[in-house]
Amino acid sequence: MSEAAFADILSAQLPGANVFQEVYYKDPTTKQWSENDTLALIDDVLILVEAKAGAAATIASPELDFGRHAQSVQDLVLKAYKQCDRFFRYLNSADEVPLYQRIEGIRLHYAGSRW
């Protein structure tokens, strides 16, 4: 399953939703470009999805090294949480904030500002 699957699933399950993949924005704290995988907007509801790939330790049986397995799962959850938290802090940084999407994998294109 890839990051793109979430956009396909949300588009099919939420007709009328605006679903964006690979949403970019400038982190107000670091001033660096940041990215989230999928953003869906329907009416006044925002759904943010951050997909993380499992490390080998999370795929292997926990029976072999449970401590490593648990740490890998925790790392994946924390990374996704921090990435989503950064996005929500960005949304709260101003009344309106610009979001961008990559066009043809090269340049960023303005996607809108009423978020």
Side-chain angles (χ1 to χ4, degrees), residues 52-102:
K52 293 293 180 199
T58 61
I59 296 169
S61 170
E63 181 180 24
L64 301 176
D65 187 346
F66 185 78
R68 181 173 175 222
H69 175 81
Q71 185 62 52
S72 294
V73 171
Q74 184 178 3
D75 290 346
L76 288 173
V77 171
L78 285 174
K79 286 178 184 177
Y81 171 81
K82 288 177 182 178
Q83 200 164 348
C84 291
D85 180 60
R86 180 178 58 221
F87 180 78
F88 288 120
R89 283 187 286 112
Y90 173 67
L91 287 183
N92 288 320
S93 69
D95 288 338
E96 291 186 4
V97 293
L99 298 177
Y100 300 84
Q101 290 184 290
R102 281 199 187 275

mmCIF file of all heavy atoms in Angstrom, residues 52-102:
data_model
loop_
_atom_site.group_PDB
_atom_site.id
_atom_site.type_symbol
_atom_site.label_atom_id
_atom_site.label_comp_id
_atom_site.label_asym_id
_atom_site.label_seq_id
_atom_site.Cartn_x
_atom_site.Cartn_y
_atom_site.Cartn_z
ATOM 1 N N LYS A 52 3.290 6.202 7.128
ATOM 2 C CA LYS A 52 4.681 5.855 7.409
ATOM 3 C C LYS A 52 4.891 4.390 7.049
ATOM 4 O O LYS A 52 4.062 3.546 7.371
ATOM 5 C CB LYS A 52 5.023 6.070 8.894
ATOM 6 C CG LYS A 52 4.996 7.511 9.326
ATOM 7 C CD LYS A 52 6.112 8.263 8.663
ATOM 8 C CE LYS A 52 6.118 9.718 9.073
ATOM 9 N NZ LYS A 52 6.871 10.528 8.149
ATOM 10 N N ALA A 53 6.012 4.129 6.403
ATOM 11 C CA ALA A 53 6.344 2.753 6.052
ATOM 12 C C ALA A 53 6.947 2.057 7.259
ATOM 13 O O ALA A 53 7.737 2.655 7.992
ATOM 14 C CB ALA A 53 7.326 2.738 4.886
ATOM 15 N N GLY A 54 6.586 0.816 7.455
ATOM 16 C CA GLY A 54 7.116 0.051 8.581
ATOM 17 C C GLY A 54 8.564 -0.336 8.366
ATOM 18 O O GLY A 54 8.958 -0.743 7.282
ATOM 19 N N ALA A 55 9.341 -0.174 9.387
ATOM 20 C CA ALA A 55 10.742 -0.603 9.337
ATOM 21 C C ALA A 55 10.796 -2.125 9.406
ATOM 22 O O ALA A 55 9.832 -2.776 9.791
ATOM 23 C CB ALA A 55 11.502 0.017 10.511
ATOM 24 N N ALA A 56 11.908 -2.670 9.048
ATOM 25 C CA ALA A 56 12.056 -4.131 9.071
ATOM 26 C C ALA A 56 11.714 -4.709 10.443
ATOM 27 O O ALA A 56 11.152 -5.790 10.542
ATOM 28 C CB ALA A 56 13.473 -4.500 8.665
ATOM 29 N N ALA A 57 12.039 -3.967 11.490
ATOM 30 C CA ALA A 57 11.762 -4.465 12.840
ATOM 31 C C ALA A 57 10.268 -4.570 13.120
ATOM 32 O O ALA A 57 9.848 -5.387 13.936
ATOM 33 C CB ALA A 57 12.420 -3.566 13.878
ATOM 34 N N THR A 58 9.441 -3.759 12.461
ATOM 35 C CA THR A 58 8.001 -3.850 12.697
ATOM 36 C C THR A 58 7.377 -4.943 11.847
ATOM 37 O O THR A 58 6.301 -5.417 12.158
ATOM 38 C CB THR A 58 7.289 -2.507 12.406
ATOM 39 O OG1 THR A 58 7.491 -2.160 11.042
ATOM 40 C CG2 THR A 58 7.798 -1.420 13.316
ATOM 41 N N ILE A 59 8.060 -5.328 10.784
ATOM 42 C CA ILE A 59 7.549 -6.386 9.912
ATOM 43 C C ILE A 59 7.924 -7.759 10.466
ATOM 44 O O ILE A 59 7.152 -8.698 10.406
ATOM 45 C CB ILE A 59 8.095 -6.194 8.482
ATOM 46 C CG1 ILE A 59 7.554 -4.875 7.904
ATOM 47 C CG2 ILE A 59 7.711 -7.361 7.587
ATOM 48 C CD1 ILE A 59 8.224 -4.446 6.630
ATOM 49 N N ALA A 60 9.121 -7.848 11.024
ATOM 50 C CA ALA A 60 9.582 -9.113 11.604
ATOM 51 C C ALA A 60 8.735 -9.464 12.825
ATOM 52 O O ALA A 60 8.131 -8.599 13.454
ATOM 53 C CB ALA A 60 11.055 -8.998 11.999
ATOM 54 N N SER A 61 8.741 -10.709 13.151
ATOM 55 C CA SER A 61 7.973 -11.189 14.300
ATOM 56 C C SER A 61 8.459 -10.525 15.591
ATOM 57 O O SER A 61 9.661 -10.512 15.868
ATOM 58 C CB SER A 61 8.119 -12.698 14.423
ATOM 59 O OG SER A 61 7.569 -13.137 15.646
ATOM 60 N N PRO A 62 7.549 -9.988 16.400
ATOM 61 C CA PRO A 62 7.954 -9.399 17.680
ATOM 62 C C PRO A 62 8.577 -10.446 18.613
ATOM 63 O O PRO A 62 9.302 -10.110 19.533
ATOM 64 C CB PRO A 62 6.666 -8.841 18.275
ATOM 65 C CG PRO A 62 5.589 -9.096 17.304
ATOM 66 C CD PRO A 62 6.137 -9.840 16.148
ATOM 67 N N GLU A 63 8.308 -11.709 18.350
ATOM 68 C CA GLU A 63 8.843 -12.778 19.185
ATOM 69 C C GLU A 63 10.377 -12.811 19.142
ATOM 70 O O GLU A 63 11.022 -13.180 20.119
ATOM 71 C CB GLU A 63 8.283 -14.114 18.698
ATOM 72 C CG GLU A 63 8.744 -15.306 19.493
ATOM 73 C CD GLU A 63 8.135 -16.581 18.953
ATOM 74 O OE1 GLU A 63 7.752 -16.641 17.767
ATOM 75 O OE2 GLU A 63 8.047 -17.542 19.734
ATOM 76 N N LEU A 64 10.953 -12.375 18.013
ATOM 77 C CA LEU A 64 12.410 -12.431 17.865
ATOM 78 C C LEU A 64 13.126 -11.366 18.683
ATOM 79 O O LEU A 64 14.196 -11.600 19.222
ATOM 80 C CB LEU A 64 12.785 -12.310 16.385
ATOM 81 C CG LEU A 64 12.206 -13.396 15.480
ATOM 82 C CD1 LEU A 64 12.547 -13.118 14.032
ATOM 83 C CD2 LEU A 64 12.680 -14.766 15.921
ATOM 84 N N ASP A 65 12.555 -10.166 18.740
ATOM 85 C CA ASP A 65 13.164 -9.072 19.513
ATOM 86 C C ASP A 65 12.064 -8.066 19.834
ATOM 87 O O ASP A 65 11.898 -7.062 19.142
ATOM 88 C CB ASP A 65 14.294 -8.414 18.733
ATOM 89 C CG ASP A 65 15.070 -7.394 19.567
ATOM 90 O OD1 ASP A 65 14.585 -7.006 20.652
ATOM 91 O OD2 ASP A 65 16.152 -6.991 19.127
ATOM 92 N N PHE A 66 11.297 -8.363 20.868
ATOM 93 C CA PHE A 66 10.131 -7.536 21.172
ATOM 94 C C PHE A 66 10.515 -6.091 21.486
ATOM 95 O O PHE A 66 9.832 -5.162 21.059
ATOM 96 C CB PHE A 66 9.318 -8.114 22.337
ATOM 97 C CG PHE A 66 8.055 -7.332 22.560
ATOM 98 C CD1 PHE A 66 6.964 -7.512 21.737
ATOM 99 C CD2 PHE A 66 7.980 -6.378 23.573
ATOM 100 C CE1 PHE A 66 5.804 -6.771 21.911
ATOM 101 C CE2 PHE A 66 6.821 -5.628 23.758
ATOM 102 C CZ PHE A 66 5.739 -5.833 22.928
ATOM 103 N N GLY A 67 11.597 -5.858 22.189
ATOM 104 C CA GLY A 67 12.017 -4.500 22.523
ATOM 105 C C GLY A 67 12.271 -3.669 21.273
ATOM 106 O O GLY A 67 11.828 -2.526 21.176
ATOM 107 N N ARG A 68 12.976 -4.251 20.326
ATOM 108 C CA ARG A 68 13.254 -3.541 19.061
ATOM 109 C C ARG A 68 11.968 -3.302 18.282
ATOM 110 O O ARG A 68 11.753 -2.239 17.721
ATOM 111 C CB ARG A 68 14.243 -4.347 18.230
ATOM 112 C CG ARG A 68 14.614 -3.683 16.932
ATOM 113 C CD ARG A 68 15.719 -4.445 16.223
ATOM 114 N NE ARG A 68 15.961 -3.843 14.926
ATOM 115 C CZ ARG A 68 16.156 -4.522 13.822
ATOM 116 N NH1 ARG A 68 16.176 -5.846 13.848
ATOM 117 N NH2 ARG A 68 16.347 -3.915 12.686
ATOM 118 N N HIS A 69 11.114 -4.317 18.257
ATOM 119 C CA HIS A 69 9.828 -4.197 17.567
ATOM 120 C C HIS A 69 8.996 -3.063 18.176
ATOM 121 O O HIS A 69 8.485 -2.198 17.460
ATOM 122 C CB HIS A 69 9.066 -5.517 17.652
ATOM 123 C CG HIS A 69 7.700 -5.460 17.074
ATOM 124 N ND1 HIS A 69 7.463 -5.571 15.725
ATOM 125 C CD2 HIS A 69 6.482 -5.287 17.659
ATOM 126 C CE1 HIS A 69 6.160 -5.471 15.499
ATOM 127 N NE2 HIS A 69 5.544 -5.299 16.657
ATOM 128 N N ALA A 70 8.872 -3.045 19.482
ATOM 129 C CA ALA A 70 8.083 -2.012 20.165
ATOM 130 C C ALA A 70 8.667 -0.626 19.918
ATOM 131 O O ALA A 70 7.929 0.335 19.671
ATOM 132 C CB ALA A 70 8.018 -2.310 21.660
ATOM 133 N N GLN A 71 9.985 -0.492 19.954
ATOM 134 C CA GLN A 71 10.624 0.801 19.704
ATOM 135 C C GLN A 71 10.377 1.275 18.275
ATOM 136 O O GLN A 71 10.112 2.455 18.037
ATOM 137 C CB GLN A 71 12.132 0.729 19.982
ATOM 138 C CG GLN A 71 12.837 2.070 19.858
ATOM 139 C CD GLN A 71 12.319 3.094 20.852
ATOM 140 O OE1 GLN A 71 12.252 2.826 22.041
ATOM 141 N NE2 GLN A 71 11.940 4.258 20.374
ATOM 142 N N SER A 72 10.423 0.366 17.308
ATOM 143 C CA SER A 72 10.176 0.732 15.916
ATOM 144 C C SER A 72 8.744 1.215 15.700
ATOM 145 O O SER A 72 8.503 2.198 15.008
ATOM 146 C CB SER A 72 10.467 -0.445 14.985
ATOM 147 O OG SER A 72 11.831 -0.753 15.000
ATOM 148 N N VAL A 73 7.791 0.507 16.305
ATOM 149 C CA VAL A 73 6.390 0.922 16.206
ATOM 150 C C VAL A 73 6.206 2.290 16.855
ATOM 151 O O VAL A 73 5.565 3.187 16.289
ATOM 152 C CB VAL A 73 5.455 -0.127 16.850
ATOM 153 C CG1 VAL A 73 4.030 0.402 16.957
ATOM 154 C CG2 VAL A 73 5.488 -1.419 16.052
ATOM 155 N N GLN A 74 6.787 2.482 18.018
ATOM 156 C CA GLN A 74 6.684 3.768 18.707
ATOM 157 C C GLN A 74 7.288 4.892 17.861
ATOM 158 O O GLN A 74 6.711 5.969 17.746
ATOM 159 C CB GLN A 74 7.386 3.694 20.054
ATOM 160 C CG GLN A 74 7.249 4.967 20.871
ATOM 161 C CD GLN A 74 7.914 4.845 22.242
ATOM 162 O OE1 GLN A 74 8.532 3.837 22.562
ATOM 163 N NE2 GLN A 74 7.772 5.865 23.038
ATOM 164 N N ASP A 75 8.449 4.634 17.245
ATOM 165 C CA ASP A 75 9.087 5.640 16.395
ATOM 166 C C ASP A 75 8.195 6.025 15.220
ATOM 167 O O ASP A 75 8.078 7.208 14.880
ATOM 168 C CB ASP A 75 10.436 5.139 15.874
ATOM 169 C CG ASP A 75 11.492 5.040 16.966
ATOM 170 O OD1 ASP A 75 11.280 5.600 18.074
ATOM 171 O OD2 ASP A 75 12.526 4.389 16.715
ATOM 172 N N LEU A 76 7.561 5.034 14.583
ATOM 173 C CA LEU A 76 6.677 5.319 13.453
ATOM 174 C C LEU A 76 5.500 6.184 13.878
ATOM 175 O O LEU A 76 5.152 7.166 13.204
ATOM 176 C CB LEU A 76 6.165 4.025 12.827
ATOM 177 C CG LEU A 76 7.174 3.211 12.037
ATOM 178 C CD1 LEU A 76 6.562 1.874 11.636
ATOM 179 C CD2 LEU A 76 7.632 3.979 10.803
ATOM 180 N N VAL A 77 4.887 5.837 14.997
ATOM 181 C CA VAL A 77 3.731 6.601 15.479
ATOM 182 C C VAL A 77 4.152 8.021 15.848
ATOM 183 O O VAL A 77 3.486 8.996 15.490
ATOM 184 C CB VAL A 77 3.060 5.883 16.664
ATOM 185 C CG1 VAL A 77 2.009 6.757 17.318
ATOM 186 C CG2 VAL A 77 2.451 4.559 16.201
ATOM 187 N N LEU A 78 5.268 8.171 16.541
ATOM 188 C CA LEU A 78 5.725 9.500 16.953
ATOM 189 C C LEU A 78 6.102 10.373 15.759
ATOM 190 O O LEU A 78 5.812 11.571 15.743
ATOM 191 C CB LEU A 78 6.900 9.396 17.918
ATOM 192 C CG LEU A 78 6.536 8.970 19.338
ATOM 193 C CD1 LEU A 78 7.794 8.762 20.177
ATOM 194 C CD2 LEU A 78 5.618 9.982 19.998
ATOM 195 N N LYS A 79 6.744 9.790 14.753
ATOM 196 C CA LYS A 79 7.107 10.564 13.566
ATOM 197 C C LYS A 79 5.864 11.092 12.860
ATOM 198 O O LYS A 79 5.818 12.245 12.454
ATOM 199 C CB LYS A 79 7.950 9.730 12.607
ATOM 200 C CG LYS A 79 9.371 9.528 13.077
ATOM 201 C CD LYS A 79 10.147 8.657 12.124
ATOM 202 C CE LYS A 79 11.537 8.384 12.653
ATOM 203 N NZ LYS A 79 12.295 7.483 11.790
ATOM 204 N N ALA A 80 4.858 10.242 12.711
ATOM 205 C CA ALA A 80 3.611 10.678 12.075
ATOM 206 C C ALA A 80 2.924 11.747 12.916
ATOM 207 O O ALA A 80 2.443 12.756 12.390
ATOM 208 C CB ALA A 80 2.680 9.481 11.860
ATOM 209 N N TYR A 81 2.886 11.541 14.224
ATOM 210 C CA TYR A 81 2.263 12.513 15.122
ATOM 211 C C TYR A 81 2.960 13.872 15.016
ATOM 212 O O TYR A 81 2.309 14.906 14.892
ATOM 213 C CB TYR A 81 2.301 12.020 16.565
ATOM 214 C CG TYR A 81 1.867 13.095 17.536
ATOM 215 C CD1 TYR A 81 0.522 13.351 17.749
ATOM 216 C CD2 TYR A 81 2.808 13.877 18.195
ATOM 217 C CE1 TYR A 81 0.118 14.355 18.615
ATOM 218 C CE2 TYR A 81 2.410 14.886 19.056
ATOM 219 C CZ TYR A 81 1.068 15.126 19.265
ATOM 220 O OH TYR A 81 0.679 16.125 20.101
ATOM 221 N N LYS A 82 4.278 13.877 15.067
ATOM 222 C CA LYS A 82 5.027 15.138 15.009
ATOM 223 C C LYS A 82 4.819 15.843 13.681
ATOM 224 O O LYS A 82 4.698 17.070 13.628
ATOM 225 C CB LYS A 82 6.513 14.887 15.256
ATOM 226 C CG LYS A 82 6.808 14.537 16.702
ATOM 227 C CD LYS A 82 8.273 14.229 16.916
ATOM 228 C CE LYS A 82 8.531 13.840 18.363
ATOM 229 N NZ LYS A 82 9.929 13.486 18.594
ATOM 230 N N GLN A 83 4.760 15.072 12.598
ATOM 231 C CA GLN A 83 4.543 15.682 11.289
ATOM 232 C C GLN A 83 3.146 16.308 11.214
ATOM 233 O O GLN A 83 2.986 17.418 10.704
ATOM 234 C CB GLN A 83 4.737 14.631 10.200
ATOM 235 C CG GLN A 83 5.015 15.224 8.846
ATOM 236 C CD GLN A 83 5.580 14.192 7.883
ATOM 237 O OE1 GLN A 83 5.969 13.089 8.274
ATOM 238 N NE2 GLN A 83 5.616 14.544 6.624
ATOM 239 N N CYS A 84 2.147 15.634 11.734
ATOM 240 C CA CYS A 84 0.786 16.190 11.742
ATOM 241 C C CYS A 84 0.687 17.379 12.689
ATOM 242 O O CYS A 84 0.049 18.386 12.359
ATOM 243 C CB CYS A 84 -0.226 15.113 12.129
ATOM 244 S SG CYS A 84 -0.419 13.830 10.879
ATOM 245 N N ASP A 85 1.327 17.289 13.835
ATOM 246 C CA ASP A 85 1.327 18.395 14.788
ATOM 247 C C ASP A 85 1.933 19.651 14.156
ATOM 248 O O ASP A 85 1.401 20.745 14.313
ATOM 249 C CB ASP A 85 2.100 17.999 16.043
ATOM 250 C CG ASP A 85 2.132 19.110 17.074
ATOM 251 O OD1 ASP A 85 1.041 19.525 17.541
ATOM 252 O OD2 ASP A 85 3.242 19.570 17.419
ATOM 253 N N ARG A 86 3.025 19.486 13.427
ATOM 254 C CA ARG A 86 3.668 20.617 12.754
ATOM 255 C C ARG A 86 2.701 21.263 11.758
ATOM 256 O O ARG A 86 2.599 22.478 11.671
ATOM 257 C CB ARG A 86 4.939 20.134 12.047
ATOM 258 C CG ARG A 86 5.675 21.237 11.314
ATOM 259 C CD ARG A 86 6.957 20.737 10.677
ATOM 260 N NE ARG A 86 6.690 19.648 9.753
ATOM 261 C CZ ARG A 86 7.438 18.566 9.654
ATOM 262 N NH1 ARG A 86 8.496 18.394 10.421
ATOM 263 N NH2 ARG A 86 7.136 17.634 8.775
ATOM 264 N N PHE A 87 1.947 20.439 11.036
ATOM 265 C CA PHE A 87 0.985 20.977 10.069
ATOM 266 C C PHE A 87 -0.119 21.765 10.776
ATOM 267 O O PHE A 87 -0.476 22.862 10.346
ATOM 268 C CB PHE A 87 0.373 19.848 9.239
ATOM 269 C CG PHE A 87 -0.614 20.338 8.223
ATOM 270 C CD1 PHE A 87 -0.189 20.913 7.045
ATOM 271 C CD2 PHE A 87 -1.978 20.228 8.456
ATOM 272 C CE1 PHE A 87 -1.100 21.372 6.108
ATOM 273 C CE2 PHE A 87 -2.895 20.681 7.528
ATOM 274 C CZ PHE A 87 -2.454 21.261 6.344
ATOM 275 N N PHE A 88 -0.651 21.221 11.870
ATOM 276 C CA PHE A 88 -1.707 21.933 12.590
ATOM 277 C C PHE A 88 -1.189 23.217 13.228
ATOM 278 O O PHE A 88 -1.908 24.221 13.285
ATOM 279 C CB PHE A 88 -2.384 21.026 13.614
ATOM 280 C CG PHE A 88 -3.262 19.987 12.971
ATOM 281 C CD1 PHE A 88 -3.015 18.643 13.150
ATOM 282 C CD2 PHE A 88 -4.324 20.362 12.163
ATOM 283 C CE1 PHE A 88 -3.823 17.687 12.540
ATOM 284 C CE2 PHE A 88 -5.136 19.426 11.542
ATOM 285 C CZ PHE A 88 -4.878 18.077 11.736
ATOM 286 N N ARG A 89 0.048 23.231 13.685
ATOM 287 C CA ARG A 89 0.635 24.478 14.190
ATOM 288 C C ARG A 89 0.755 25.492 13.056
ATOM 289 O O ARG A 89 0.505 26.680 13.252
ATOM 290 C CB ARG A 89 2.001 24.224 14.836
ATOM 291 C CG ARG A 89 1.882 23.621 16.238
ATOM 292 C CD ARG A 89 3.214 23.512 16.976
ATOM 293 N NE ARG A 89 4.012 22.430 16.410
ATOM 294 C CZ ARG A 89 5.139 22.578 15.722
ATOM 295 N NH1 ARG A 89 5.641 23.773 15.517
ATOM 296 N NH2 ARG A 89 5.792 21.536 15.245
ATOM 297 N N TYR A 90 1.095 25.019 11.872
ATOM 298 C CA TYR A 90 1.157 25.905 10.703
ATOM 299 C C TYR A 90 -0.233 26.488 10.411
ATOM 300 O O TYR A 90 -0.371 27.691 10.201
ATOM 301 C CB TYR A 90 1.683 25.144 9.487
ATOM 302 C CG TYR A 90 1.621 25.943 8.211
ATOM 303 C CD1 TYR A 90 2.420 27.072 8.036
ATOM 304 C CD2 TYR A 90 0.766 25.586 7.177
ATOM 305 C CE1 TYR A 90 2.365 27.813 6.870
ATOM 306 C CE2 TYR A 90 0.708 26.314 6.008
ATOM 307 C CZ TYR A 90 1.506 27.428 5.863
ATOM 308 O OH TYR A 90 1.445 28.161 4.709
ATOM 309 N N LEU A 91 -1.262 25.661 10.402
ATOM 310 C CA LEU A 91 -2.622 26.151 10.155
ATOM 311 C C LEU A 91 -3.029 27.210 11.169
ATOM 312 O O LEU A 91 -3.745 28.149 10.836
ATOM 313 C CB LEU A 91 -3.629 25.006 10.198
ATOM 314 C CG LEU A 91 -3.645 24.035 9.042
ATOM 315 C CD1 LEU A 91 -4.755 23.018 9.239
ATOM 316 C CD2 LEU A 91 -3.805 24.739 7.703
ATOM 317 N N ASN A 92 -2.584 27.067 12.394
ATOM 318 C CA ASN A 92 -2.927 28.017 13.445
ATOM 319 C C ASN A 92 -2.024 29.243 13.488
ATOM 320 O O ASN A 92 -2.223 30.111 14.326
ATOM 321 C CB ASN A 92 -2.910 27.320 14.808
ATOM 322 C CG ASN A 92 -4.074 26.387 14.970
ATOM 323 O OD1 ASN A 92 -5.182 26.680 14.568
ATOM 324 N ND2 ASN A 92 -3.812 25.223 15.557
ATOM 325 N N SER A 93 -1.059 29.325 12.588
ATOM 326 C CA SER A 93 -0.103 30.433 12.620
ATOM 327 C C SER A 93 -0.654 31.727 12.019
ATOM 328 O O SER A 93 -0.070 32.788 12.207
ATOM 329 C CB SER A 93 1.194 30.035 11.905
ATOM 330 O OG SER A 93 0.980 29.897 10.508
ATOM 331 N N ALA A 94 -1.769 31.648 11.305
ATOM 332 C CA ALA A 94 -2.361 32.845 10.695
ATOM 333 C C ALA A 94 -3.825 32.554 10.363
ATOM 334 O O ALA A 94 -4.252 31.394 10.380
ATOM 335 C CB ALA A 94 -1.595 33.225 9.430
ATOM 336 N N ASP A 95 -4.570 33.602 10.041
ATOM 337 C CA ASP A 95 -5.967 33.413 9.662
ATOM 338 C C ASP A 95 -6.092 32.613 8.366
ATOM 339 O O ASP A 95 -7.010 31.822 8.199
ATOM 340 C CB ASP A 95 -6.673 34.760 9.496
ATOM 341 C CG ASP A 95 -6.898 35.438 10.836
ATOM 342 O OD1 ASP A 95 -6.909 34.750 11.873
ATOM 343 O OD2 ASP A 95 -7.062 36.677 10.836
ATOM 344 N N GLU A 96 -5.192 32.876 7.423
ATOM 345 C CA GLU A 96 -5.134 32.137 6.164
ATOM 346 C C GLU A 96 -3.684 31.779 5.890
ATOM 347 O O GLU A 96 -2.791 32.606 6.098
ATOM 348 C CB GLU A 96 -5.675 32.966 5.000
ATOM 349 C CG GLU A 96 -7.160 33.196 5.069
ATOM 350 C CD GLU A 96 -7.706 33.901 3.832
ATOM 351 O OE1 GLU A 96 -6.916 34.139 2.884
ATOM 352 O OE2 GLU A 96 -8.890 34.204 3.810
ATOM 353 N N VAL A 97 -3.450 30.567 5.429
ATOM 354 C CA VAL A 97 -2.090 30.123 5.125
ATOM 355 C C VAL A 97 -2.059 29.482 3.738
ATOM 356 O O VAL A 97 -3.002 28.804 3.348
ATOM 357 C CB VAL A 97 -1.564 29.127 6.184
ATOM 358 C CG1 VAL A 97 -1.385 29.802 7.533
ATOM 359 C CG2 VAL A 97 -2.461 27.924 6.307
ATOM 360 N N PRO A 98 -0.978 29.693 2.998
ATOM 361 C CA PRO A 98 -0.881 29.077 1.667
ATOM 362 C C PRO A 98 -0.415 27.624 1.759
ATOM 363 O O PRO A 98 0.392 27.267 2.614
ATOM 364 C CB PRO A 98 0.160 29.937 0.950
ATOM 365 C CG PRO A 98 0.997 30.501 2.036
ATOM 366 C CD PRO A 98 0.099 30.660 3.230
ATOM 367 N N LEU A 99 -0.940 26.803 0.872
ATOM 368 C CA LEU A 99 -0.502 25.422 0.716
ATOM 369 C C LEU A 99 -0.039 25.239 -0.716
ATOM 370 O O LEU A 99 -0.545 25.882 -1.633
ATOM 371 C CB LEU A 99 -1.645 24.455 1.015
ATOM 372 C CG LEU A 99 -2.206 24.492 2.426
ATOM 373 C CD1 LEU A 99 -3.374 23.530 2.548
ATOM 374 C CD2 LEU A 99 -1.138 24.156 3.444
ATOM 375 N N TYR A 100 0.900 24.340 -0.910
ATOM 376 C CA TYR A 100 1.490 24.123 -2.228
ATOM 377 C C TYR A 100 1.484 22.642 -2.557
ATOM 378 O O TYR A 100 1.455 21.791 -1.673
ATOM 379 C CB TYR A 100 2.935 24.642 -2.251
ATOM 380 C CG TYR A 100 3.034 26.113 -1.950
ATOM 381 C CD1 TYR A 100 3.070 26.567 -0.640
ATOM 382 C CD2 TYR A 100 3.071 27.047 -2.973
ATOM 383 C CE1 TYR A 100 3.139 27.927 -0.355
ATOM 384 C CE2 TYR A 100 3.144 28.402 -2.697
ATOM 385 C CZ TYR A 100 3.180 28.834 -1.384
ATOM 386 O OH TYR A 100 3.245 30.176 -1.115
ATOM 387 N N GLN A 101 1.516 22.365 -3.876
ATOM 388 C CA GLN A 101 1.636 20.995 -4.355
ATOM 389 C C GLN A 101 2.722 20.951 -5.409
ATOM 390 O O GLN A 101 2.929 21.922 -6.140
ATOM 391 C CB GLN A 101 0.323 20.506 -4.968
ATOM 392 C CG GLN A 101 -0.767 20.297 -3.941
ATOM 393 C CD GLN A 101 -2.004 19.726 -4.579
ATOM 394 O OE1 GLN A 101 -2.672 20.408 -5.334
ATOM 395 N NE2 GLN A 101 -2.301 18.473 -4.265
ATOM 396 N N ARG A 102 3.424 19.817 -5.507
ATOM 397 C CA ARG A 102 4.452 19.651 -6.538
ATOM 398 C C ARG A 102 3.788 19.376 -7.872
ATOM 399 O O ARG A 102 2.867 18.587 -7.960
ATOM 400 C CB ARG A 102 5.380 18.494 -6.212
ATOM 401 C CG ARG A 102 6.412 18.843 -5.205
ATOM 402 C CD ARG A 102 7.557 17.844 -5.278
ATOM 403 N NE ARG A 102 8.465 18.081 -4.194
ATOM 404 C CZ ARG A 102 9.452 18.980 -4.233
ATOM 405 N NH1 ARG A 102 9.647 19.690 -5.305
ATOM 406 N NH2 ARG A 102 10.231 19.151 -3.194
#
